[in-house]
Amino acid sequence: DGPVVIIGAGHGGYQVAASLRQAGFSAAICLINDEAHLPYQRPPLSKAYIKGTAGPESLMFRPGKFYQDQSIELVAGRAVSIDRAGRKVLLASGRPLPYGHLVLATGARNRLLDLPNANLPDVKYLRILDDSEALRQIMPSKTRVVVIGAGFIGLEFAATARIKGLEVDVLELAPRVMARAVTAEVSEYFQARHREAGIRIHLGVQATAIEAEDGKVTGVSLSDGRHLPADLVVVGVGVLPNIELAAEAGLPVAAGIIVDEYLSTADPDISAIGDCALFNSPRFGGSQRLESVQNATDHARCLAARLTGDRKAYDSHPWFWSDQGEDKLQIAGLTTGYDRVVLRGDPTRKAFSAFCYKGDNLLGIESINRAGDHMFGRRLFGLDRSITPEHAADESFDLKGALA
Ligand code: FAD
């Protein structure tokens, strides 16, 4: 009982507050927000928002009135420490916030590039609205961008920059793009599509220095001795979970804040959700830390249910999406550990799905411009069913029949 204090007003933090009220939770809710905006959606920052068509208000989950109407106190500021014995959070302003239950929804921050000149103004990252806004402002005056890192965010940005007329080079240390997240088939498809759009993709290379003159970026030096001219560098080399508050409060952390299958930390009065949480997953075995909207919002709903008396282990099926140029990638399930990939549809027609199996066990489906396959996958996993690799590859096999 007592107030619920939530640190971090991103996807997870916002959703816990909203779901608690929806479930009839009547005590005070404080949502600590260290960004100077109402809680907003992050995915458009590297997609629609950066194209410059809509204003910041298009990103907000809810208008300010929602928080007043729902008695959710938006507390501007940063949490700097947790006093577990006294059950309170201390804000940077010095204000203490007492809690009955504390939710850590601190997300993740960009991994910074450790290179000479990496702190110049024309070296940008993309995590928060202010980053996206800054890129929107400077892009019209730039002609050549080097994107460091060919993960989802780097490639989404690269595609948009190209559409906006910039020369674009993408550097990737791995031998293929999005190598940690998708199958080789899907990497190859996207490599070809980005190259067709005029983006130069350099695989198996690393940036060794950012070159500058009079404080202005002039290019990037590569590990293979080449030099790429640039007046803008965008870095997308992954994120680090924000675990420090938890660690300093004596809570166990590893590659995330360690929580059990109920999303509880070692302290029963403190839970962690979303990008910062390393959660025990009986379904997938062992612990997982996922970076997706689905994971943050479903964690939030599971926790809000527990805090209002409906205690269940977290057991949602992961899904994800990425928009790159004209292509939409959607992933249902978790494809880690697959040993066989079966294609349904035709990459040359720009619409196919990669069904990933371990033995005969379907782990996940990566769909490109095949929303029907993606929704099928989510429904199939929801029913705890599978289809054989032969059926997956056979376009005449009726997927809907497998859901009946
Ligand atoms: P966040 O949304 O990061 O929120 C954490 C909040 O906590 C932040 O506002 C942070 O500033 C704040 N905070 C941290 N420490 C403190 C503190 N001490 N005091 C107060 N506040 C604090 N996922 C998808 O599924 N599909 C996509 O297409 C997709 N696109 C993305 C594009 C971009 C550019 C980015 C950056 C991410 C994208 N993601 C996407 C990932 C998705 O946005 C994240 O997984 C999701 O935001 C995680 O939610 P969260 O609440 O855990 O963390």
Coordinates of all heavy atoms in Angstrom, one line a residue, residues 6-14 32-35 40-47 77-80 91 105-110 126-128 152-153 156 239 242 245 273-276 290-297 319-323, ligand 1:
I6 N 7.4 5.9 -9.7 CA 8.0 5.3 -10.9 C 9.1 6.1 -11.4 O 8.9 7.3 -11.6 CB 6.9 5.2 -12.0 CG1 5.6 4.5 -11.5 CG2 7.5 4.5 -13.3 CD1 4.4 4.7 -12.4
I7 N 10.3 5.6 -11.5 CA 11.5 6.3 -12.0 C 11.6 6.1 -13.5 O 11.9 5.0 -13.9 CB 12.8 6.0 -11.3 CG1 12.6 6.1 -9.8 CG2 13.9 6.8 -11.8 CD1 13.8 5.7 -9.0
G8 N 11.4 7.1 -14.3 CA 11.5 7.0 -15.8 C 10.1 7.1 -16.4 O 9.2 6.2 -16.1
A9 N 9.9 8.1 -17.3 CA 8.5 8.2 -17.9 C 8.6 7.9 -19.4 O 8.0 8.6 -20.2 CB 8.0 9.6 -17.6
G10 N 9.3 6.8 -19.7 CA 9.3 6.3 -21.1 C 8.1 5.4 -21.3 O 7.1 5.4 -20.6
H11 N 8.3 4.4 -22.2 CA 7.2 3.5 -22.6 C 6.7 2.7 -21.4 O 5.6 2.6 -21.1 CB 7.7 2.6 -23.7 CG 7.6 3.2 -25.0 ND1 6.5 3.1 -25.9 CD2 8.5 4.0 -25.7 CE1 6.7 3.8 -27.0 NE2 7.9 4.4 -26.9
G12 N 7.7 2.2 -20.6 CA 7.3 1.3 -19.5 C 6.7 2.2 -18.4 O 5.6 1.8 -17.8
G13 N 7.4 3.2 -18.0 CA 6.9 4.1 -16.8 C 5.5 4.6 -17.1 O 4.7 4.5 -16.2
Y14 N 5.3 5.2 -18.3 CA 4.0 5.7 -18.6 C 2.9 4.7 -18.5 O 1.9 4.8 -17.9 CB 4.0 6.3 -20.0 CG 2.6 6.4 -20.6 CD1 1.7 7.4 -20.2 CD2 2.1 5.4 -21.5 CE1 0.4 7.4 -20.6 CE2 0.8 5.4 -21.9 CZ 0.0 6.4 -21.5 OH -1.3 6.4 -22.0
I32 N 8.3 10.0 -12.3 CA 9.5 10.9 -12.3 C 10.0 11.0 -13.8 O 10.4 9.9 -14.4 CB 10.6 10.4 -11.4 CG1 10.0 10.2 -10.0 CG2 11.7 11.4 -11.4 CD1 11.0 9.7 -9.0
N33 N 10.0 12.2 -14.3 CA 10.3 12.4 -15.7 C 11.5 13.3 -15.8 O 11.4 14.5 -15.5 CB 9.1 13.0 -16.3 CG 9.2 13.3 -17.8 OD1 10.2 12.8 -18.4 ND2 8.3 14.1 -18.4
D34 N 12.6 12.8 -16.3 CA 13.8 13.7 -16.4 C 14.0 14.3 -17.8 O 15.0 14.8 -18.1 CB 15.1 12.9 -16.0 CG 15.5 11.8 -17.0 OD1 14.7 11.5 -17.9 OD2 16.6 11.3 -16.9
E35 N 13.0 14.1 -18.6 CA 13.0 14.8 -20.0 C 12.0 15.9 -19.9 O 11.0 15.8 -19.3 CB 12.7 13.8 -21.1 CG 13.7 12.6 -21.2 CD 13.5 11.8 -22.4 OE1 13.5 12.4 -23.5 OE2 13.4 10.6 -22.3
Y40 N 6.4 10.4 -24.1 CA 6.3 10.3 -25.6 C 6.8 9.0 -26.1 O 7.5 8.3 -25.4 CB 7.0 11.5 -26.3 CG 8.5 11.4 -26.1 CD1 9.3 10.7 -26.9 CD2 9.1 12.1 -25.0 CE1 10.7 10.7 -26.7 CE2 10.4 12.1 -24.8 CZ 11.2 11.4 -25.7 OH 12.6 11.3 -25.5
Q41 N 6.4 8.7 -27.4 CA 6.8 7.4 -28.0 C 8.2 7.6 -28.7 O 8.4 8.6 -29.4 CB 5.8 7.1 -29.2 CG 4.4 7.0 -28.7 CD 3.5 7.0 -29.9 OE1 3.6 6.1 -30.8 NE2 2.6 7.9 -30.0
R42 N 9.0 6.6 -28.5 CA 10.4 6.7 -29.0 C 10.5 6.3 -30.5 O 11.3 6.9 -31.2 CB 11.3 5.9 -28.1 CG 12.4 6.7 -27.5 CD 13.2 5.9 -26.5 NE 12.8 6.3 -25.1 CZ 13.0 7.5 -24.6 NH1 13.6 8.4 -25.3 NH2 12.6 7.7 -23.4
P43 N 9.8 5.2 -30.9 CA 10.1 4.7 -32.3 C 10.1 5.7 -33.4 O 11.0 5.7 -34.3 CB 9.1 3.6 -32.5 CG 8.8 3.1 -31.1 CD 8.9 4.3 -30.2
P44 N 9.1 6.7 -33.4 CA 9.1 7.7 -34.5 C 10.4 8.5 -34.6 O 10.7 9.2 -35.6 CB 7.9 8.5 -34.3 CG 7.1 7.7 -33.3 CD 8.0 6.9 -32.5
L45 N 11.2 8.6 -33.5 CA 12.3 9.5 -33.5 C 13.3 9.2 -34.6 O 14.0 10.1 -35.1 CB 13.1 9.4 -32.1 CG 12.3 9.8 -30.9 CD1 13.2 9.6 -29.6 CD2 11.7 11.2 -31.0
S46 N 13.4 7.9 -35.0 CA 14.3 7.6 -36.1 C 13.6 7.3 -37.4 O 14.1 6.8 -38.3 CB 15.1 6.3 -35.7 OG 14.3 5.3 -35.2
K47 N 12.2 7.5 -37.3 CA 11.4 7.2 -38.5 C 10.6 8.5 -38.9 O 11.3 9.4 -39.4 CB 10.4 6.1 -38.1 CG 11.1 4.8 -37.6 CD 10.1 3.8 -37.2 CE 10.7 2.5 -36.6 NZ 11.3 2.7 -35.2
G77 N 12.3 16.0 -13.0 CA 13.6 15.9 -12.3 C 14.2 14.5 -12.5 O 13.6 13.6 -13.1
R78 N 15.3 14.4 -11.8 CA 16.0 13.1 -11.9 C 16.1 12.5 -10.5 O 16.4 13.2 -9.5 CB 17.4 13.5 -12.4 CG 18.0 12.5 -13.4 CD 19.3 12.8 -13.9 NE 20.0 11.5 -13.9 CZ 19.7 10.6 -14.8 NH1 18.8 10.7 -15.6 NH2 20.4 9.4 -14.7
A79 N 15.9 11.2 -10.5 CA 16.1 10.5 -9.2 C 17.6 10.2 -9.0 O 18.3 9.8 -10.0 CB 15.4 9.1 -9.2
V80 N 18.2 10.6 -7.9 CA 19.6 10.4 -7.7 C 20.0 9.3 -6.7 O 21.1 8.8 -6.7 CB 20.3 11.7 -7.3 CG1 20.3 12.7 -8.5 CG2 19.7 12.4 -6.1
L91 N 15.3 13.1 -5.1 CA 15.5 13.7 -6.4 C 16.7 14.7 -6.4 O 17.1 15.1 -5.3 CB 14.2 14.6 -6.8 CG 12.9 13.8 -6.9 CD1 11.8 14.7 -7.2 CD2 13.0 12.7 -8.0
A105 N 12.0 2.1 -14.1 CA 11.7 2.1 -15.5 C 12.7 3.0 -16.2 O 12.3 3.9 -17.0 CB 10.3 2.4 -15.8
T106 N 13.9 2.8 -15.9 CA 15.0 3.8 -16.2 C 15.5 3.6 -17.7 O 16.3 4.5 -18.1 CB 16.1 3.8 -15.2 OG1 16.5 2.4 -15.1 CG2 15.7 4.3 -13.9
G107 N 15.1 2.6 -18.4 CA 15.5 2.4 -19.8 C 17.0 2.2 -20.0 O 17.6 1.6 -19.1
A108 N 17.4 2.7 -21.1 CA 18.8 2.6 -21.5 C 19.3 3.9 -22.0 O 18.6 4.7 -22.4 CB 18.9 1.4 -22.5
R109 N 20.6 4.0 -22.1 CA 21.2 5.2 -22.7 C 22.2 4.8 -23.8 O 22.6 3.6 -23.8 CB 22.0 6.0 -21.7 CG 23.1 5.2 -21.0 CD 23.8 6.1 -19.9 NE 24.9 5.4 -19.3 CZ 24.8 4.5 -18.3 NH1 23.6 4.2 -17.8 NH2 25.9 3.9 -17.8
N110 N 22.5 5.7 -24.7 CA 23.4 5.3 -25.8 C 24.8 4.9 -25.3 O 25.4 5.6 -24.4 CB 23.6 6.5 -26.8 CG 22.3 6.7 -27.5 OD1 21.8 5.8 -28.1 ND2 21.8 7.9 -27.5
L126 N 21.0 9.1 -31.2 CA 19.5 9.1 -31.4 C 18.9 8.2 -30.3 O 18.8 7.0 -30.4 CB 19.2 8.6 -32.8 CG 17.9 8.9 -33.5 CD1 17.4 10.3 -33.2 CD2 18.1 8.7 -35.0
R127 N 18.5 8.9 -29.2 CA 17.8 8.1 -28.2 C 16.5 8.9 -27.7 O 15.5 8.3 -27.5 CB 18.7 7.9 -27.0 CG 18.0 7.2 -25.8 CD 17.9 5.7 -26.0 NE 16.9 5.1 -25.1 CZ 16.5 3.8 -25.1 NH1 17.0 3.0 -26.0 NH2 15.6 3.4 -24.3
I128 N 16.7 10.2 -27.5 CA 15.6 11.0 -26.9 C 15.1 12.0 -27.9 O 15.8 12.3 -29.0 CB 16.1 11.6 -25.6 CG1 17.3 12.6 -25.9 CG2 16.4 10.6 -24.6 CD1 17.6 13.4 -24.6
F152 N 19.2 -1.4 -36.0 CA 17.9 -0.9 -36.4 C 18.0 0.6 -36.5 O 17.5 1.2 -37.5 CB 16.8 -1.3 -35.4 CG 16.6 -2.8 -35.4 CD1 16.8 -3.5 -34.2 CD2 16.1 -3.4 -36.5 CE1 16.6 -4.9 -34.2 CE2 15.9 -4.8 -36.5 CZ 16.1 -5.5 -35.3
I153 N 18.5 1.3 -35.5 CA 18.4 2.7 -35.5 C 19.3 3.4 -36.5 O 18.9 4.3 -37.2 CB 18.6 3.3 -34.0 CG1 17.4 2.8 -33.2 CG2 18.8 4.8 -34.0 CD1 17.6 3.1 -31.7
E156 N 17.6 2.8 -39.9 CA 16.4 3.6 -40.1 C 16.8 5.1 -40.4 O 16.2 5.7 -41.3 CB 15.5 3.6 -38.8 CG 14.8 2.2 -38.6 CD 14.0 2.1 -37.3 OE1 14.0 3.1 -36.5 OE2 13.4 1.1 -37.1
V239 N 23.1 0.3 -26.8 CA 22.8 1.0 -25.6 C 23.3 0.3 -24.4 O 23.6 -0.9 -24.4 CB 21.2 1.2 -25.5 CG1 20.7 2.1 -26.6 CG2 20.5 -0.1 -25.4
N242 N 20.3 1.4 -17.8 CA 20.5 2.3 -16.7 C 20.3 1.6 -15.4 O 19.2 1.5 -14.9 CB 19.6 3.5 -16.8 CG 19.9 4.4 -18.0 OD1 21.1 4.7 -18.2 ND2 18.9 4.9 -18.7
L245 N 21.4 3.3 -10.4 CA 20.6 3.6 -9.2 C 20.3 2.4 -8.4 O 20.4 2.4 -7.2 CB 19.2 4.2 -9.6 CG 19.0 5.7 -9.7 CD1 17.5 5.9 -10.1 CD2 19.4 6.4 -8.4
I273 N 11.3 -2.8 -14.9 CA 10.6 -3.2 -16.1 C 11.3 -2.6 -17.3 O 12.0 -1.6 -17.2 CB 9.1 -2.8 -16.1 CG1 9.0 -1.2 -16.0 CG2 8.4 -3.5 -15.0 CD1 7.6 -0.7 -16.2
G274 N 11.1 -3.1 -18.5 CA 11.5 -2.5 -19.7 C 13.0 -2.7 -20.0 O 13.6 -3.7 -19.6
D275 N 13.6 -1.8 -20.8 CA 14.9 -1.9 -21.3 C 16.0 -2.2 -20.1 O 17.0 -2.8 -20.4 CB 15.4 -0.7 -22.0 CG 14.8 -0.5 -23.4 OD1 13.9 -1.3 -23.8 OD2 15.3 0.3 -24.2
C276 N 15.7 -1.7 -18.9 CA 16.7 -1.8 -17.8 C 16.6 -3.2 -17.1 O 17.5 -3.5 -16.3 CB 16.5 -0.7 -16.8 SG 15.0 -0.7 -15.8
L290 N 15.4 -7.3 -23.0 CA 14.9 -7.0 -24.4 C 14.7 -5.5 -24.5 O 14.4 -4.8 -23.5 CB 13.6 -7.7 -24.7 CG 13.6 -9.3 -24.7 CD1 12.3 -9.9 -24.9 CD2 14.6 -9.8 -25.7
E291 N 14.9 -5.0 -25.7 CA 14.8 -3.6 -26.0 C 13.7 -3.4 -27.0 O 13.9 -3.4 -28.2 CB 16.1 -3.0 -26.5 CG 17.2 -3.0 -25.5 CD 18.6 -2.9 -26.1 OE1 18.7 -2.5 -27.3 OE2 19.6 -3.1 -25.4
S292 N 12.5 -3.3 -26.5 CA 11.3 -3.1 -27.5 C 10.2 -2.5 -26.7 O 10.0 -2.6 -25.5 CB 10.9 -4.4 -28.1 OG 10.2 -5.2 -27.2
V293 N 9.3 -1.9 -27.5 CA 8.1 -1.3 -27.0 C 7.2 -2.4 -26.4 O 6.6 -2.2 -25.3 CB 7.4 -0.5 -28.1 CG1 6.0 -0.1 -27.7 CG2 8.2 0.8 -28.5
Q294 N 7.1 -3.5 -27.1 CA 6.2 -4.6 -26.7 C 6.7 -5.0 -25.3 O 5.9 -5.2 -24.4 CB 6.3 -5.7 -27.6 CG 5.6 -7.0 -27.2 CD 6.5 -7.8 -26.2 OE1 7.7 -7.9 -26.4 NE2 5.9 -8.4 -25.2
N295 N 8.0 -5.2 -25.1 CA 8.5 -5.7 -23.8 C 8.2 -4.7 -22.7 O 7.8 -5.1 -21.6 CB 10.0 -5.9 -24.0 CG 10.7 -6.5 -22.8 OD1 10.5 -7.6 -22.4 ND2 11.6 -5.6 -22.2
A296 N 8.5 -3.4 -23.0 CA 8.3 -2.4 -21.9 C 6.8 -2.3 -21.5 O 6.5 -2.2 -20.4 CB 8.9 -1.1 -22.4
T297 N 5.9 -2.3 -22.5 CA 4.5 -2.1 -22.2 C 3.9 -3.3 -21.6 O 3.1 -3.3 -20.7 CB 3.7 -1.6 -23.4 OG1 4.0 -2.5 -24.5 CG2 4.1 -0.2 -23.8
W319 N 7.5 -9.3 -29.7 CA 7.4 -8.9 -31.1 C 8.0 -7.5 -31.2 O 8.2 -6.8 -30.3 CB 6.0 -8.9 -31.7 CG 4.9 -8.2 -30.9 CD1 4.1 -8.6 -29.9 CD2 4.6 -6.8 -31.1 NE1 3.3 -7.6 -29.5 CE2 3.5 -6.5 -30.2 CE3 5.0 -5.8 -32.0 CZ2 2.9 -5.2 -30.2 CZ3 4.4 -4.5 -32.0 CH2 3.4 -4.3 -31.0
F320 N 8.3 -7.2 -32.5 CA 9.2 -6.0 -32.8 C 8.9 -5.5 -34.2 O 8.5 -6.3 -35.0 CB 10.6 -6.4 -32.6 CG 11.6 -5.3 -32.7 CD1 11.8 -4.4 -31.7 CD2 12.3 -5.1 -33.9 CE1 12.7 -3.3 -31.8 CE2 13.2 -4.0 -34.0 CZ 13.4 -3.1 -33.0
W321 N 9.3 -4.3 -34.5 CA 9.2 -3.8 -35.9 C 10.3 -2.8 -36.1 O 10.8 -2.2 -35.2 CB 7.8 -3.3 -36.2 CG 7.6 -1.8 -35.7 CD1 7.8 -0.7 -36.4 CD2 7.3 -1.4 -34.4 NE1 7.6 0.4 -35.7 CE2 7.3 0.0 -34.4 CE3 7.0 -2.1 -33.2 CZ2 6.9 0.8 -33.3 CZ3 6.7 -1.3 -32.1 CH2 6.7 0.1 -32.1
S322 N 10.6 -2.6 -37.4 CA 11.5 -1.6 -37.8 C 11.2 -1.1 -39.2 O 11.0 -2.0 -40.1 CB 13.0 -2.1 -37.8 OG 13.9 -1.2 -38.4
D323 N 11.0 0.2 -39.4 CA 10.7 0.7 -40.7 C 12.0 1.3 -41.3 O 12.6 2.2 -40.8 CB 9.7 1.8 -40.6 CG 8.4 1.4 -40.0 OD1 8.1 0.2 -40.1 OD2 7.7 2.2 -39.4
Ligands
FAD1 P1 12.7 4.4 -22.1 O1 11.6 4.6 -23.1 O2 14.1 4.6 -22.6 O3 12.4 5.3 -20.9 C1 13.3 5.5 -19.8 C2 13.1 6.9 -19.2 O4 13.7 6.9 -17.9 C3 13.9 7.9 -20.0 O5 13.0 9.0 -20.3 C4 15.1 8.3 -19.2 O6 15.5 9.6 -19.4 C5 14.4 8.1 -17.8 N1 15.4 8.0 -16.7 C6 16.5 7.2 -16.6 N2 17.1 7.4 -15.4 C7 16.3 8.3 -14.7 C8 16.5 8.8 -13.4 N3 17.5 8.5 -12.6 N4 15.5 9.7 -13.0 C9 14.4 10.0 -13.8 N5 14.3 9.5 -15.1 C10 15.2 8.7 -15.5 N6 11.2 -0.5 -30.2 C11 10.3 -1.2 -31.0 O7 9.7 -2.1 -30.5 N7 10.1 -0.8 -32.3 C12 10.8 0.3 -32.8 O8 10.6 0.6 -34.0 C13 11.7 1.0 -32.0 N8 12.3 2.1 -32.5 C14 13.1 2.8 -31.7 C15 13.7 4.0 -32.2 C16 14.6 4.7 -31.4 C17 15.2 6.0 -32.0 C18 14.8 4.3 -30.1 C19 15.8 5.1 -29.2 C20 14.3 3.2 -29.6 C21 13.4 2.4 -30.4 N9 12.8 1.3 -29.9 C22 11.9 0.6 -30.7 C23 13.1 0.8 -28.6 C24 12.0 1.3 -27.6 O9 11.8 2.6 -27.7 C25 12.5 1.0 -26.1 O10 12.7 -0.4 -26.0 C26 11.5 1.5 -25.1 O11 11.5 2.9 -25.2 C27 11.9 1.0 -23.7 O12 11.0 1.6 -22.8 P2 11.5 1.9 -21.3 O13 10.4 2.5 -20.6 O14 12.2 0.7 -20.8 O15 12.7 2.9 -21.5

